[in-house]
Amino acid sequence: MMLLLLCLLLLCGVRGQRSSECPHLCSCHGSQVDCSGRSLTSSSLPTRLPTGTTELRLHDNLLTTLPNGLLDALASLRSVSLHGNPWTCDCGVLYLRAWLLGRPAGQTSHLNVSCSSPPDLRGRLVAYLTEEEVLESCHYWYCDLAFASQVCLFVFVAVQAALLVAVIVFLRKFERLSRVARRTKEESFAFGEGMMGNEYEALKDSSI
């Protein structure tokens, strides 16, 4: 019984240690997690952060978006630095914008968190973007995607049509060649029969 209890305590200790592990490429000091200046991109950003994090530093990286839900589980979070990143203000910035708008008035997480693209929103603070501005950039993105899809569909249909025409031309040529071959065979067969008839008549005459 004591052995089982000891194993359970060790297992809980290991789980607790894992949940508070410092993310790769970051440094931790108590409840402060420092991931700043590491050239982190949105894809290389740690997907899990210690649940007890109170201060998170993500500034001076290469972040263009934040993964949805990244900061939602950090109930003790009081400070986040996000400046110095090339934020792309399209559909992907909606989570960051909503999170910044949900911060208490005394927090300054939104300071210097500005758009780097698209060009018409460059320099604008993410927290102060209107939904219409963000959705307009999404609209343009979807339009480009729809146009590219239509072009790909047109090319696919054109290739299929060209293949169909090539098959039809080949079948007609094959049919014509088959007709010529059949006619040649019939003529050869008729010519052979004529030769055999002439030879038979010649043999018949010689026998008489």
PDB file of all heavy atoms in Angstrom, residues 86-123:
ATOM      1  N   PRO A  86       6.564  41.675 -36.834  1.00  0.00           N
ATOM      2  CA  PRO A  86       5.923  42.114 -38.091  1.00  0.00           C
ATOM      3  C   PRO A  86       4.516  41.531 -38.239  1.00  0.00           C
ATOM      4  O   PRO A  86       4.276  40.639 -39.059  1.00  0.00           O
ATOM      5  CB  PRO A  86       6.871  41.560 -39.166  1.00  0.00           C
ATOM      6  CG  PRO A  86       7.431  40.314 -38.554  1.00  0.00           C
ATOM      7  CD  PRO A  86       7.552  40.590 -37.084  1.00  0.00           C
ATOM      8  N   TRP A  87       3.569  42.032 -37.466  1.00  0.00           N
ATOM      9  CA  TRP A  87       2.209  41.483 -37.467  1.00  0.00           C
ATOM     10  C   TRP A  87       1.523  41.691 -38.809  1.00  0.00           C
ATOM     11  O   TRP A  87       1.569  42.772 -39.388  1.00  0.00           O
ATOM     12  CB  TRP A  87       1.376  42.136 -36.359  1.00  0.00           C
ATOM     13  CG  TRP A  87       1.953  41.948 -34.988  1.00  0.00           C
ATOM     14  CD1 TRP A  87       2.563  42.882 -34.211  1.00  0.00           C
ATOM     15  CD2 TRP A  87       1.983  40.724 -34.247  1.00  0.00           C
ATOM     16  NE1 TRP A  87       2.976  42.323 -33.041  1.00  0.00           N
ATOM     17  CE2 TRP A  87       2.636  40.997 -33.023  1.00  0.00           C
ATOM     18  CE3 TRP A  87       1.531  39.432 -34.486  1.00  0.00           C
ATOM     19  CZ2 TRP A  87       2.847  40.024 -32.048  1.00  0.00           C
ATOM     20  CZ3 TRP A  87       1.733  38.462 -33.517  1.00  0.00           C
ATOM     21  CH2 TRP A  87       2.379  38.756 -32.321  1.00  0.00           C
ATOM     22  N   THR A  88       0.903  40.632 -39.299  1.00  0.00           N
ATOM     23  CA  THR A  88       0.129  40.696 -40.547  1.00  0.00           C
ATOM     24  C   THR A  88      -1.342  40.864 -40.182  1.00  0.00           C
ATOM     25  O   THR A  88      -1.940  39.976 -39.565  1.00  0.00           O
ATOM     26  CB  THR A  88       0.308  39.408 -41.376  1.00  0.00           C
ATOM     27  OG1 THR A  88       1.693  39.258 -41.696  1.00  0.00           O
ATOM     28  CG2 THR A  88      -0.497  39.476 -42.661  1.00  0.00           C
ATOM     29  N   CYS A  89      -1.903  41.987 -40.571  1.00  0.00           N
ATOM     30  CA  CYS A  89      -3.262  42.320 -40.145  1.00  0.00           C
ATOM     31  C   CYS A  89      -4.295  41.857 -41.175  1.00  0.00           C
ATOM     32  O   CYS A  89      -4.933  42.659 -41.865  1.00  0.00           O
ATOM     33  CB  CYS A  89      -3.377  43.818 -39.883  1.00  0.00           C
ATOM     34  SG  CYS A  89      -2.375  44.340 -38.472  1.00  0.00           S
ATOM     35  N   ASP A  90      -4.435  40.534 -41.268  1.00  0.00           N
ATOM     36  CA  ASP A  90      -5.493  39.944 -42.083  1.00  0.00           C
ATOM     37  C   ASP A  90      -6.343  39.077 -41.164  1.00  0.00           C
ATOM     38  O   ASP A  90      -6.425  39.341 -39.967  1.00  0.00           O
ATOM     39  CB  ASP A  90      -4.904  39.168 -43.259  1.00  0.00           C
ATOM     40  CG  ASP A  90      -3.943  38.069 -42.806  1.00  0.00           C
ATOM     41  OD1 ASP A  90      -3.873  37.792 -41.587  1.00  0.00           O
ATOM     42  OD2 ASP A  90      -3.263  37.480 -43.655  1.00  0.00           O
ATOM     43  N   CYS A  91      -6.968  38.040 -41.689  1.00  0.00           N
ATOM     44  CA  CYS A  91      -7.828  37.199 -40.863  1.00  0.00           C
ATOM     45  C   CYS A  91      -7.095  36.606 -39.667  1.00  0.00           C
ATOM     46  O   CYS A  91      -7.682  36.386 -38.611  1.00  0.00           O
ATOM     47  CB  CYS A  91      -8.408  36.052 -41.700  1.00  0.00           C
ATOM     48  SG  CYS A  91      -9.500  36.603 -43.020  1.00  0.00           S
ATOM     49  N   GLY A  92      -5.793  36.340 -39.833  1.00  0.00           N
ATOM     50  CA  GLY A  92      -5.032  35.712 -38.761  1.00  0.00           C
ATOM     51  C   GLY A  92      -4.823  36.583 -37.550  1.00  0.00           C
ATOM     52  O   GLY A  92      -4.407  36.079 -36.501  1.00  0.00           O
ATOM     53  N   VAL A  93      -5.086  37.886 -37.641  1.00  0.00           N
ATOM     54  CA  VAL A  93      -4.853  38.777 -36.510  1.00  0.00           C
ATOM     55  C   VAL A  93      -6.093  38.925 -35.625  1.00  0.00           C
ATOM     56  O   VAL A  93      -6.048  39.585 -34.581  1.00  0.00           O
ATOM     57  CB  VAL A  93      -4.385  40.168 -37.019  1.00  0.00           C
ATOM     58  CG1 VAL A  93      -5.587  41.049 -37.407  1.00  0.00           C
ATOM     59  CG2 VAL A  93      -3.518  40.873 -35.980  1.00  0.00           C
ATOM     60  N   LEU A  94      -7.192  38.300 -36.007  1.00  0.00           N
ATOM     61  CA  LEU A  94      -8.441  38.462 -35.263  1.00  0.00           C
ATOM     62  C   LEU A  94      -8.316  37.971 -33.825  1.00  0.00           C
ATOM     63  O   LEU A  94      -8.848  38.596 -32.898  1.00  0.00           O
ATOM     64  CB  LEU A  94      -9.573  37.719 -35.978  1.00  0.00           C
ATOM     65  CG  LEU A  94     -10.062  38.346 -37.288  1.00  0.00           C
ATOM     66  CD1 LEU A  94     -11.071  37.442 -37.974  1.00  0.00           C
ATOM     67  CD2 LEU A  94     -10.671  39.717 -37.018  1.00  0.00           C
ATOM     68  N   TYR A  95      -7.603  36.850 -33.610  1.00  0.00           N
ATOM     69  CA  TYR A  95      -7.443  36.350 -32.233  1.00  0.00           C
ATOM     70  C   TYR A  95      -6.648  37.330 -31.391  1.00  0.00           C
ATOM     71  O   TYR A  95      -7.035  37.661 -30.265  1.00  0.00           O
ATOM     72  CB  TYR A  95      -6.759  34.985 -32.234  1.00  0.00           C
ATOM     73  CG  TYR A  95      -6.343  34.544 -30.850  1.00  0.00           C
ATOM     74  CD1 TYR A  95      -7.292  34.147 -29.911  1.00  0.00           C
ATOM     75  CD2 TYR A  95      -4.999  34.562 -30.469  1.00  0.00           C
ATOM     76  CE1 TYR A  95      -6.919  33.771 -28.626  1.00  0.00           C
ATOM     77  CE2 TYR A  95      -4.617  34.192 -29.192  1.00  0.00           C
ATOM     78  CZ  TYR A  95      -5.575  33.792 -28.269  1.00  0.00           C
ATOM     79  OH  TYR A  95      -5.203  33.431 -27.000  1.00  0.00           O
ATOM     80  N   LEU A  96      -5.519  37.817 -31.931  1.00  0.00           N
ATOM     81  CA  LEU A  96      -4.696  38.774 -31.188  1.00  0.00           C
ATOM     82  C   LEU A  96      -5.481  40.041 -30.884  1.00  0.00           C
ATOM     83  O   LEU A  96      -5.427  40.563 -29.757  1.00  0.00           O
ATOM     84  CB  LEU A  96      -3.433  39.099 -31.984  1.00  0.00           C
ATOM     85  CG  LEU A  96      -2.514  40.180 -31.393  1.00  0.00           C
ATOM     86  CD1 LEU A  96      -2.021  39.783 -30.017  1.00  0.00           C
ATOM     87  CD2 LEU A  96      -1.335  40.442 -32.340  1.00  0.00           C
ATOM     88  N   ARG A  97      -6.225  40.542 -31.852  1.00  0.00           N
ATOM     89  CA  ARG A  97      -7.028  41.750 -31.652  1.00  0.00           C
ATOM     90  C   ARG A  97      -8.061  41.536 -30.559  1.00  0.00           C
ATOM     91  O   ARG A  97      -8.220  42.368 -29.660  1.00  0.00           O
ATOM     92  CB  ARG A  97      -7.719  42.139 -32.964  1.00  0.00           C
ATOM     93  CG  ARG A  97      -8.679  43.309 -32.853  1.00  0.00           C
ATOM     94  CD  ARG A  97      -9.364  43.575 -34.181  1.00  0.00           C
ATOM     95  NE  ARG A  97     -10.357  44.618 -34.050  1.00  0.00           N
ATOM     96  CZ  ARG A  97     -11.614  44.414 -33.665  1.00  0.00           C
ATOM     97  NH1 ARG A  97     -12.017  43.173 -33.363  1.00  0.00           N
ATOM     98  NH2 ARG A  97     -12.454  45.416 -33.571  1.00  0.00           N
ATOM     99  N   ALA A  98      -8.766  40.397 -30.593  1.00  0.00           N
ATOM    100  CA  ALA A  98      -9.785  40.117 -29.574  1.00  0.00           C
ATOM    101  C   ALA A  98      -9.151  39.974 -28.199  1.00  0.00           C
ATOM    102  O   ALA A  98      -9.710  40.448 -27.190  1.00  0.00           O
ATOM    103  CB  ALA A  98     -10.544  38.844 -29.945  1.00  0.00           C
ATOM    104  N   TRP A  99      -7.979  39.351 -28.132  1.00  0.00           N
ATOM    105  CA  TRP A  99      -7.319  39.178 -26.831  1.00  0.00           C
ATOM    106  C   TRP A  99      -6.882  40.526 -26.274  1.00  0.00           C
ATOM    107  O   TRP A  99      -7.047  40.793 -25.082  1.00  0.00           O
ATOM    108  CB  TRP A  99      -6.122  38.242 -26.987  1.00  0.00           C
ATOM    109  CG  TRP A  99      -5.492  37.888 -25.676  1.00  0.00           C
ATOM    110  CD1 TRP A  99      -5.851  36.883 -24.825  1.00  0.00           C
ATOM    111  CD2 TRP A  99      -4.400  38.579 -25.044  1.00  0.00           C
ATOM    112  NE1 TRP A  99      -5.056  36.904 -23.711  1.00  0.00           N
ATOM    113  CE2 TRP A  99      -4.144  37.930 -23.810  1.00  0.00           C
ATOM    114  CE3 TRP A  99      -3.611  39.675 -25.397  1.00  0.00           C
ATOM    115  CZ2 TRP A  99      -3.146  38.343 -22.939  1.00  0.00           C
ATOM    116  CZ3 TRP A  99      -2.619  40.088 -24.523  1.00  0.00           C
ATOM    117  CH2 TRP A  99      -2.380  39.429 -23.315  1.00  0.00           C
ATOM    118  N   LEU A 100      -6.325  41.386 -27.116  1.00  0.00           N
ATOM    119  CA  LEU A 100      -5.895  42.715 -26.661  1.00  0.00           C
ATOM    120  C   LEU A 100      -7.084  43.545 -26.182  1.00  0.00           C
ATOM    121  O   LEU A 100      -7.001  44.250 -25.170  1.00  0.00           O
ATOM    122  CB  LEU A 100      -5.165  43.441 -27.795  1.00  0.00           C
ATOM    123  CG  LEU A 100      -3.785  42.887 -28.184  1.00  0.00           C
ATOM    124  CD1 LEU A 100      -3.258  43.597 -29.426  1.00  0.00           C
ATOM    125  CD2 LEU A 100      -2.795  43.029 -27.031  1.00  0.00           C
ATOM    126  N   LEU A 101      -8.191  43.459 -26.900  1.00  0.00           N
ATOM    127  CA  LEU A 101      -9.381  44.223 -26.489  1.00  0.00           C
ATOM    128  C   LEU A 101      -9.951  43.713 -25.175  1.00  0.00           C
ATOM    129  O   LEU A 101     -10.623  44.472 -24.456  1.00  0.00           O
ATOM    130  CB  LEU A 101     -10.450  44.136 -27.589  1.00  0.00           C
ATOM    131  CG  LEU A 101     -10.146  44.878 -28.885  1.00  0.00           C
ATOM    132  CD1 LEU A 101     -11.240  44.623 -29.922  1.00  0.00           C
ATOM    133  CD2 LEU A 101     -10.010  46.378 -28.622  1.00  0.00           C
ATOM    134  N   GLY A 102      -9.682  42.459 -24.839  1.00  0.00           N
ATOM    135  CA  GLY A 102     -10.192  41.907 -23.593  1.00  0.00           C
ATOM    136  C   GLY A 102      -9.324  42.175 -22.379  1.00  0.00           C
ATOM    137  O   GLY A 102      -9.679  41.782 -21.265  1.00  0.00           O
ATOM    138  N   ARG A 103      -8.184  42.843 -22.571  1.00  0.00           N
ATOM    139  CA  ARG A 103      -7.305  43.142 -21.434  1.00  0.00           C
ATOM    140  C   ARG A 103      -7.870  44.274 -20.597  1.00  0.00           C
ATOM    141  O   ARG A 103      -8.556  45.170 -21.104  1.00  0.00           O
ATOM    142  CB  ARG A 103      -5.913  43.565 -21.919  1.00  0.00           C
ATOM    143  CG  ARG A 103      -5.114  42.531 -22.682  1.00  0.00           C
ATOM    144  CD  ARG A 103      -4.856  41.278 -21.887  1.00  0.00           C
ATOM    145  NE  ARG A 103      -5.927  40.304 -22.039  1.00  0.00           N
ATOM    146  CZ  ARG A 103      -6.222  39.350 -21.179  1.00  0.00           C
ATOM    147  NH1 ARG A 103      -5.543  39.257 -20.062  1.00  0.00           N
ATOM    148  NH2 ARG A 103      -7.206  38.498 -21.407  1.00  0.00           N
ATOM    149  N   PRO A 104      -7.585  44.249 -19.279  1.00  0.00           N
ATOM    150  CA  PRO A 104      -8.012  45.366 -18.419  1.00  0.00           C
ATOM    151  C   PRO A 104      -7.405  46.686 -18.877  1.00  0.00           C
ATOM    152  O   PRO A 104      -6.341  46.709 -19.511  1.00  0.00           O
ATOM    153  CB  PRO A 104      -7.486  44.958 -17.034  1.00  0.00           C
ATOM    154  CG  PRO A 104      -7.345  43.467 -17.099  1.00  0.00           C
ATOM    155  CD  PRO A 104      -6.966  43.162 -18.522  1.00  0.00           C
ATOM    156  N   ALA A 105      -8.055  47.760 -18.550  1.00  0.00           N
ATOM    157  CA  ALA A 105      -7.635  49.078 -19.030  1.00  0.00           C
ATOM    158  C   ALA A 105      -6.234  49.442 -18.552  1.00  0.00           C
ATOM    159  O   ALA A 105      -5.507  50.172 -19.224  1.00  0.00           O
ATOM    160  CB  ALA A 105      -8.638  50.137 -18.575  1.00  0.00           C
ATOM    161  N   GLY A 106      -5.823  48.940 -17.394  1.00  0.00           N
ATOM    162  CA  GLY A 106      -4.514  49.309 -16.858  1.00  0.00           C
ATOM    163  C   GLY A 106      -3.351  48.611 -17.536  1.00  0.00           C
ATOM    164  O   GLY A 106      -2.201  49.056 -17.400  1.00  0.00           O
ATOM    165  N   GLN A 107      -3.595  47.542 -18.234  1.00  0.00           N
ATOM    166  CA  GLN A 107      -2.516  46.824 -18.898  1.00  0.00           C
ATOM    167  C   GLN A 107      -2.135  47.511 -20.206  1.00  0.00           C
ATOM    168  O   GLN A 107      -2.962  48.120 -20.869  1.00  0.00           O
ATOM    169  CB  GLN A 107      -2.923  45.375 -19.169  1.00  0.00           C
ATOM    170  CG  GLN A 107      -3.036  44.537 -17.901  1.00  0.00           C
ATOM    171  CD  GLN A 107      -3.186  43.061 -18.209  1.00  0.00           C
ATOM    172  OE1 GLN A 107      -3.035  42.622 -19.348  1.00  0.00           O
ATOM    173  NE2 GLN A 107      -3.479  42.280 -17.174  1.00  0.00           N
ATOM    174  N   THR A 108      -0.858  47.393 -20.551  1.00  0.00           N
ATOM    175  CA  THR A 108      -0.344  48.089 -21.738  1.00  0.00           C
ATOM    176  C   THR A 108       0.173  47.103 -22.779  1.00  0.00           C
ATOM    177  O   THR A 108       1.125  47.397 -23.505  1.00  0.00           O
ATOM    178  CB  THR A 108       0.788  49.053 -21.332  1.00  0.00           C
ATOM    179  OG1 THR A 108       1.827  48.293 -20.673  1.00  0.00           O
ATOM    180  CG2 THR A 108       0.292  50.136 -20.407  1.00  0.00           C
ATOM    181  N   SER A 109      -0.461  45.920 -22.854  1.00  0.00           N
ATOM    182  CA  SER A 109       0.005  44.900 -23.803  1.00  0.00           C
ATOM    183  C   SER A 109      -0.127  45.369 -25.243  1.00  0.00           C
ATOM    184  O   SER A 109       0.598  44.895 -26.124  1.00  0.00           O
ATOM    185  CB  SER A 109      -0.796  43.607 -23.600  1.00  0.00           C
ATOM    186  OG  SER A 109      -0.661  43.127 -22.284  1.00  0.00           O
ATOM    187  N   HIS A 110      -1.083  46.277 -25.499  1.00  0.00           N
ATOM    188  CA  HIS A 110      -1.356  46.687 -26.871  1.00  0.00           C
ATOM    189  C   HIS A 110      -0.372  47.716 -27.403  1.00  0.00           C
ATOM    190  O   HIS A 110      -0.342  47.995 -28.599  1.00  0.00           O
ATOM    191  CB  HIS A 110      -2.766  47.270 -26.960  1.00  0.00           C
ATOM    192  CG  HIS A 110      -2.929  48.531 -26.177  1.00  0.00           C
ATOM    193  ND1 HIS A 110      -3.132  48.525 -24.820  1.00  0.00           N
ATOM    194  CD2 HIS A 110      -2.899  49.837 -26.561  1.00  0.00           C
ATOM    195  CE1 HIS A 110      -3.237  49.782 -24.382  1.00  0.00           C
ATOM    196  NE2 HIS A 110      -3.093  50.588 -25.417  1.00  0.00           N
ATOM    197  N   LEU A 111       0.470  48.288 -26.530  1.00  0.00           N
ATOM    198  CA  LEU A 111       1.349  49.360 -26.957  1.00  0.00           C
ATOM    199  C   LEU A 111       2.368  48.853 -27.977  1.00  0.00           C
ATOM    200  O   LEU A 111       3.012  47.819 -27.780  1.00  0.00           O
ATOM    201  CB  LEU A 111       2.076  49.969 -25.752  1.00  0.00           C
ATOM    202  CG  LEU A 111       1.172  50.698 -24.740  1.00  0.00           C
ATOM    203  CD1 LEU A 111       1.999  51.233 -23.590  1.00  0.00           C
ATOM    204  CD2 LEU A 111       0.406  51.830 -25.424  1.00  0.00           C
ATOM    205  N   ASN A 112       2.504  49.602 -29.054  1.00  0.00           N
ATOM    206  CA  ASN A 112       3.484  49.303 -30.118  1.00  0.00           C
ATOM    207  C   ASN A 112       3.234  47.966 -30.808  1.00  0.00           C
ATOM    208  O   ASN A 112       4.122  47.451 -31.488  1.00  0.00           O
ATOM    209  CB  ASN A 112       4.916  49.332 -29.570  1.00  0.00           C
ATOM    210  CG  ASN A 112       5.313  50.701 -29.052  1.00  0.00           C
ATOM    211  OD1 ASN A 112       4.955  51.717 -29.631  1.00  0.00           O
ATOM    212  ND2 ASN A 112       6.035  50.727 -27.939  1.00  0.00           N
ATOM    213  N   VAL A 113       2.038  47.397 -30.641  1.00  0.00           N
ATOM    214  CA  VAL A 113       1.676  46.189 -31.382  1.00  0.00           C
ATOM    215  C   VAL A 113       0.980  46.681 -32.640  1.00  0.00           C
ATOM    216  O   VAL A 113      -0.243  46.885 -32.666  1.00  0.00           O
ATOM    217  CB  VAL A 113       0.763  45.263 -30.561  1.00  0.00           C
ATOM    218  CG1 VAL A 113       0.476  43.974 -31.330  1.00  0.00           C
ATOM    219  CG2 VAL A 113       1.409  44.946 -29.227  1.00  0.00           C
ATOM    220  N   SER A 114       1.753  46.877 -33.697  1.00  0.00           N
ATOM    221  CA  SER A 114       1.233  47.516 -34.901  1.00  0.00           C
ATOM    222  C   SER A 114       1.396  46.618 -36.118  1.00  0.00           C
ATOM    223  O   SER A 114       2.199  45.688 -36.134  1.00  0.00           O
ATOM    224  CB  SER A 114       1.945  48.856 -35.145  1.00  0.00           C
ATOM    225  OG  SER A 114       3.345  48.653 -35.244  1.00  0.00           O
ATOM    226  N   CYS A 115       0.616  46.937 -37.136  1.00  0.00           N
ATOM    227  CA  CYS A 115       0.603  46.140 -38.374  1.00  0.00           C
ATOM    228  C   CYS A 115       1.833  46.443 -39.230  1.00  0.00           C
ATOM    229  O   CYS A 115       2.238  47.604 -39.348  1.00  0.00           O
ATOM    230  CB  CYS A 115      -0.648  46.446 -39.185  1.00  0.00           C
ATOM    231  SG  CYS A 115      -2.200  46.241 -38.289  1.00  0.00           S
ATOM    232  N   SER A 116       2.383  45.406 -39.828  1.00  0.00           N
ATOM    233  CA  SER A 116       3.439  45.578 -40.833  1.00  0.00           C
ATOM    234  C   SER A 116       2.887  45.411 -42.238  1.00  0.00           C
ATOM    235  O   SER A 116       3.461  45.913 -43.198  1.00  0.00           O
ATOM    236  CB  SER A 116       4.557  44.571 -40.599  1.00  0.00           C
ATOM    237  OG  SER A 116       5.264  44.874 -39.416  1.00  0.00           O
ATOM    238  N   SER A 117       1.792  44.682 -42.374  1.00  0.00           N
ATOM    239  CA  SER A 117       1.127  44.475 -43.660  1.00  0.00           C
ATOM    240  C   SER A 117      -0.342  44.182 -43.368  1.00  0.00           C
ATOM    241  O   SER A 117      -0.686  43.808 -42.234  1.00  0.00           O
ATOM    242  CB  SER A 117       1.773  43.305 -44.425  1.00  0.00           C
ATOM    243  OG  SER A 117       1.662  42.100 -43.690  1.00  0.00           O
ATOM    244  N   PRO A 118      -1.227  44.385 -44.362  1.00  0.00           N
ATOM    245  CA  PRO A 118      -0.998  44.890 -45.727  1.00  0.00           C
ATOM    246  C   PRO A 118      -0.629  46.371 -45.728  1.00  0.00           C
ATOM    247  O   PRO A 118      -0.745  47.038 -44.690  1.00  0.00           O
ATOM    248  CB  PRO A 118      -2.362  44.644 -46.391  1.00  0.00           C
ATOM    249  CG  PRO A 118      -3.342  44.659 -45.267  1.00  0.00           C
ATOM    250  CD  PRO A 118      -2.640  44.065 -44.087  1.00  0.00           C
ATOM    251  N   PRO A 119      -0.188  46.888 -46.884  1.00  0.00           N
ATOM    252  CA  PRO A 119       0.329  48.262 -46.929  1.00  0.00           C
ATOM    253  C   PRO A 119      -0.651  49.318 -46.420  1.00  0.00           C
ATOM    254  O   PRO A 119      -0.232  50.284 -45.771  1.00  0.00           O
ATOM    255  CB  PRO A 119       0.633  48.466 -48.429  1.00  0.00           C
ATOM    256  CG  PRO A 119       0.882  47.088 -48.948  1.00  0.00           C
ATOM    257  CD  PRO A 119      -0.035  46.194 -48.180  1.00  0.00           C
ATOM    258  N   ASP A 120      -1.953  49.154 -46.689  1.00  0.00           N
ATOM    259  CA  ASP A 120      -2.907  50.187 -46.286  1.00  0.00           C
ATOM    260  C   ASP A 120      -3.158  50.208 -44.785  1.00  0.00           C
ATOM    261  O   ASP A 120      -3.756  51.164 -44.275  1.00  0.00           O
ATOM    262  CB  ASP A 120      -4.234  50.016 -47.034  1.00  0.00           C
ATOM    263  CG  ASP A 120      -4.814  48.630 -46.849  1.00  0.00           C
ATOM    264  OD1 ASP A 120      -4.033  47.693 -46.632  1.00  0.00           O
ATOM    265  OD2 ASP A 120      -6.044  48.474 -46.921  1.00  0.00           O
ATOM    266  N   LEU A 121      -2.682  49.178 -44.049  1.00  0.00           N
ATOM    267  CA  LEU A 121      -2.846  49.145 -42.590  1.00  0.00           C
ATOM    268  C   LEU A 121      -1.508  49.245 -41.867  1.00  0.00           C
ATOM    269  O   LEU A 121      -1.487  49.174 -40.636  1.00  0.00           O
ATOM    270  CB  LEU A 121      -3.561  47.857 -42.163  1.00  0.00           C
ATOM    271  CG  LEU A 121      -4.999  47.666 -42.652  1.00  0.00           C
ATOM    272  CD1 LEU A 121      -5.553  46.335 -42.159  1.00  0.00           C
ATOM    273  CD2 LEU A 121      -5.889  48.813 -42.189  1.00  0.00           C
ATOM    274  N   ARG A 122      -0.436  49.431 -42.597  1.00  0.00           N
ATOM    275  CA  ARG A 122       0.888  49.473 -41.981  1.00  0.00           C
ATOM    276  C   ARG A 122       0.977  50.616 -40.968  1.00  0.00           C
ATOM    277  O   ARG A 122       0.592  51.749 -41.255  1.00  0.00           O
ATOM    278  CB  ARG A 122       1.955  49.632 -43.054  1.00  0.00           C
ATOM    279  CG  ARG A 122       3.390  49.586 -42.525  1.00  0.00           C
ATOM    280  CD  ARG A 122       4.371  49.622 -43.668  1.00  0.00           C
ATOM    281  NE  ARG A 122       4.209  48.454 -44.522  1.00  0.00           N
ATOM    282  CZ  ARG A 122       4.410  48.463 -45.832  1.00  0.00           C
ATOM    283  NH1 ARG A 122       4.704  49.603 -46.451  1.00  0.00           N
ATOM    284  NH2 ARG A 122       4.261  47.354 -46.523  1.00  0.00           N
ATOM    285  N   GLY A 123       1.482  50.281 -39.781  1.00  0.00           N
ATOM    286  CA  GLY A 123       1.633  51.277 -38.729  1.00  0.00           C
ATOM    287  C   GLY A 123       0.438  51.420 -37.813  1.00  0.00           C
ATOM    288  O   GLY A 123       0.538  52.068 -36.759  1.00  0.00           O
TER     289      GLY A 123
END
